[in-house]
């Protein structure tokens, strides 16, 4: 009984984390809207290994730090996501 409950809880946790990760990931239009801004202001967030993607939370934090300097397209994209 306890094992079954733990299995259900673990499954729900995994599903919740997977759902949260999908919400954070930008789509191609979002990426294009902020591409120049991320390279201009957030270069330090990109990993040394170019085949790895940057951490999305660090990138968002960096964009928020530079909000006043971002392009109109990037600002609109962030506003569209409620950020």
């Amino acid at each position: 009984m306890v094992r079954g409950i733990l299995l259900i809880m673990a499954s729900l946790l995994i599903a919740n984390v997977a759902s949260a990760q999908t919400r954070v990931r930008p789509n191609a239009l979002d990426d294009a809207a902020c591409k120049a801004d991320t390279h201009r202001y957030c270069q330090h967030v990109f990993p040394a290994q170019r085949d790895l993607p940057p951490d999305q939370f660090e990138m968002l934090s960096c964009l928020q730090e530079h909000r006043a300097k971002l392009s109109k397209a990037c600002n609109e994209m962030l506003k569209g996501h409620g950020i």
Side-chain angles (χ1 to χ4, degrees), residues 2 6-7 15 17 29 31 46 48 58 62 66 71-73:
V2 173
L6 289 175
L7 182 61
V17 169
L29 293 175
D31 188 38
F46 289 95
E58 284 185 54
C62 178
H66 295 88
S71 67
K72 183 178 178 181

Side-chain angles (χ1 to χ4, degrees), residues 1-81:
M1 177 75 173
V2 173
R3 188 180 297 172
I5 292 172
L6 289 175
L7 182 61
I8 291 170
M9 289 176 62
S11 298
L12 290 173
L13 179 64
I14 291 170
N16 191 24
V17 169
S19 174
Q21 287 178 344
T22 6
R23 286 191 300 262
V24 172
R25 293 182 186 272
N27 64 34
L29 293 175
D30 294 345
D31 188 38
C34 291
K35 186 173 184 173
D37 294 313
T38 58
H39 286 282
R40 182 175 296 123
Y41 304 116
C42 305
Q43 193 64 38
H44 64 280
V45 178
F46 289 95
Q49 292 178 303
R50 291 292 180 193
D51 56 331
L52 297 175
D55 181 272
Q56 297 298 315
F57 295 108
E58 284 185 54
M59 186 62 72
L60 180 58
S61 175
C62 178
L63 289 173
Q64 288 175 322
E65 287 175 29
H66 295 88
R67 190 67 180 253
K69 299 181 268 183
L70 298 179
S71 67
K72 183 178 178 181
C74 188
N75 262 315
E76 291 298 318
M77 184 277 299
L78 293 173
K79 284 180 192 174
H81 287 289

